[in-house]
Amino acid sequence: QAVVTQEPSLTVSPGGTVTLTCASSGAPVTSGYYPNWFQLKPGQAPRALIYSTYNKHSWTPARFSGSLLGGKAALTLSGVQPEDEAEYYCLLFYGSAQLVFGGGTKLTVL
Amino acid sequence: QVTLKESGPALVKPTQTLTLTCTFSGFSLSTSEMRVSWFRRPPGKALEWLARIDWDDDTFYSTSLKTRLTISKDTSKNQVVLSMTNMGPVDTATYYCARGSSWYSVDYWGQGTLVTVSS
């Protein structure tokens, strides 16, 4: 099974910009992996942010954006807010409908 | 309004079979392109996808767990059921169900249910 890798932790100042990345073992991430991004906060249901690389759900704040960057999927937060402190997971779709998550990035807003 | 809610035992003994039910509203699993997946998150670990069932009854399982999992749906009750056999302590986790409205997206999630495996 493929291994999906994310930064374990990142720190950003309020109002700043941060990019989280998502890499797949053995091959660059392309749009064909349909990267999804999710936000997890303690005690809350996971919240979907991005699907199919860069598409936002109706509830996704404008400061979140998805892209492909250097062979990886990327989630960029611009104008970070204190409430963005959370864990973020990417999800890649592999052939024959195998869905694989990255290990998650713990984002600290400090 | 789309909602999903997981239900099932909070505690199971080793070797037992876990059965979880996802009861949803706001959509029908008989509608084209609708899907429901199960996921889990062990304490302190990452999310893991377990299984998916599609509107057309296609089912898909995690390669690493496929021999232990069965997913099914009852469209009339708006429910999806996941069974996992031979439970062990490593299966202790919060289990989530979530909707997919296309092949490549997961959008609405349930709150999750914590399952502890212990004798």
Side-chain angles (χ1 to χ4, degrees):
Chain A
Q1 179 163 305
V3 176
V4 179
T5 303
Q6 298 180 243
E7 298 87 359
S9 64
L10 291 169
T11 300
V12 61
S13 300
T17 296
V18 65
T19 296
L20 290 64
T21 67
C22 174
S24 176
S25 59
V29 176
T30 66
S31 57
Y33 289 88
Y34 305 105
N36 280 230
W37 290 90
F38 303 92
Q39 179 190 65
L40 271 72
K41 293 183 177 180
Q44 296 184 18
R47 182 167 77 145
L49 296 172
I50 300 289
Y51 65 96
S52 193
T53 306
Y54 54 80
N55 295 282
K56 299 180 185 182
H57 295 282
S58 59
W59 54 81
T60 304
R63 63 183 179 275
F64 291 86
S65 62
S67 64
L68 296 176
L69 199 63
K72 301 178 183 180
L75 176 70
T76 299
L77 288 70
S78 304
V80 172
Q81 302 296 307
E83 61 264 30
D84 297 333
E85 183 162 296
E87 283 190 273
Y88 292 85
Y89 285 86
C90 67
L91 173 66
L92 300 182
F93 288 70
Y94 290 82
S96 65
Q98 290 297 300
L99 284 61
V100 181
F101 283 97
T105 296
K106 183 173 183 179
L107 182 67
T108 300
V109 180
L110 198 60
Chain B
Q1 181 187 4
V2 174
T3 65
L4 302 96
K5 186 173 184 179
E6 307 84 354
S7 59
L11 180 66
V12 298
K13 296 185 186 319
T15 76
Q16 285 187 336
T17 294
L18 171 68
T19 300
L20 294 172
T21 301
C22 175
T23 303
F24 57 86
S25 63
F27 69 99
S28 172
L29 204 39
S30 61
T31 300
S32 179
E33 297 300 327
M34 289 298 160
R35 302 161 166 87
V36 171
S37 283
W38 282 95
F39 303 87
R40 70 179 179 181
R41 187 186 186 200
K45 296 189 177 181
L47 283 166
E48 179 182 18
W49 172 72
L50 302 176
R52 192 181 90 187
I53 189 163
D54 292 357
W55 86 101
D56 58 0
D57 294 326
D58 275 348
T59 58
F60 306 90
Y61 296 98
S62 167
T63 301
S64 59
L65 292 168
K66 62 187 298 184
T67 61
R68 299 174 54 202
L69 296 172
T70 303
I71 191 170
S72 62
K73 65 182 175 77
D74 186 331
T75 304
S76 65
K77 292 183 179 179
N78 281 350
Q79 290 181 334
V80 171
V81 175
L82 179 76
S83 295
M84 180 180 291
T85 62
N86 194 26
M87 293 289 285
V90 297
D91 298 311
T92 293
T94 298
Y95 287 76
Y96 300 94
C97 62
R99 187 190 82 160
S101 55
S102 69
W103 177 264
Y104 46 79
S105 75
V106 177
D107 46 24
Y108 293 91
W109 291 69
Q111 286 283 343
T113 185
L114 176 62
V115 177
T116 300
V117 183
S118 176
S119 54

